[in-house]
Amino acid sequence: SWDLKNHSLNERLQATGKIVFMSTGLSSMQDINEASQKWKLVTLIHTQLSQKIEDVNLKAIHTIREQTHKPVAFGLHCSNHETLKVAIGFEPYAMFFYVKEKGCDGLFDDEHAIPMDEVGKLGDTLKALTEALGTGTKTGIDIPNWVIH
């Protein structure tokens, strides 16, 4: 995230013609807007470099998407992994999280890293929960048999 303003690096990345995922962890909204205007092949990653749940600010996914007109992913740095499930409701383009081997505790990204043996189940859960978003269209249904009326 400290390379959002690294113009020489970003010019080289843009020259590849591939989408570049750009973390916004240390950036202000002004920095993000400037980068999104300058770099065309960008997907932004909303993250806060904090373990604290109160710093996650998932609503920023919508704000960044609305202001930049760019896809916005979510990057987990919070020690509460359930944040990934809540993030689904903000429809991030993708989700990024750290992975660790069992027994590798105490590393720099340890608190917010997902143990490798849990990644498959977590992925399945996140995919299943995505179904709950639906289409946004409200439709009526017949009264179910179990409803007492």
Side-chain angles (χ1 to χ4, degrees):
S1 58
W2 40 84
D3 283 321
L4 192 79
K5 294 181 179 183
N6 184 336
H7 296 294
S8 63
L9 172 63
N10 287 315
E11 283 174 1
R12 290 193 309 256
L13 291 171
Q14 291 294 300
T16 68
K18 299 191 187 300
I19 297 293
V20 176
F21 287 91
M22 196 174 274
S23 177
T24 64
L26 297 173
S27 306
S28 68
M29 200 60 227
Q30 181 178 341
D31 296 336
I32 295 166
N33 282 325
E34 288 171 7
S36 71
Q37 290 170 9
K38 185 166 180 75
W39 313 116
K40 300 304 173 206
L41 300 173
V42 167
T43 294
L44 300 163
I45 306 170
H46 166 63
T47 188
Q48 297 290 99
L49 300 180
S50 170
Q51 299 285 343
K52 299 175 184 174
I53 191 95
E54 62 269 19
D55 293 336
V56 176
N57 192 17
L58 289 170
K59 289 182 178 182
I61 294 170
H62 174 74
T63 302
I64 295 168
R65 184 185 307 124
E66 191 174 78
Q67 288 190 22
T68 65
H69 306 287
K70 300 282 187 192
V72 181
F74 173 63
L76 179 71
H77 275 88
C78 180
S79 58
N80 185 333
H81 300 160
E82 297 295 303
T83 306
L84 289 168
K85 295 174 185 173
V86 178
I88 290 170
F90 295 90
E91 300 184 89
Y93 177 83
M95 289 201 209
F96 289 81
F97 53 85
Y98 291 80
V99 188
K100 66 179 177 180
E101 286 190 55
K102 239 182 194 169
C104 289
D105 298 331
L107 300 174
F108 183 71
D109 293 306
D110 180 48
E111 285 187 55
H112 54 271
I114 310 292
M116 280 201 285
D117 63 344
E118 296 175 21
V119 171
K121 183 178 178 186
L122 174 64
D124 291 344
T125 299
L126 294 174
K127 284 180 192 174
L129 289 172
T130 300
E131 295 294 318
L133 292 175
T135 63
T137 302
K138 178 68 175 147
T139 57
I141 61 170
D142 292 334
I143 298 174
N145 294 335
W146 53 267
V147 174
I148 300 171
H149 49 110

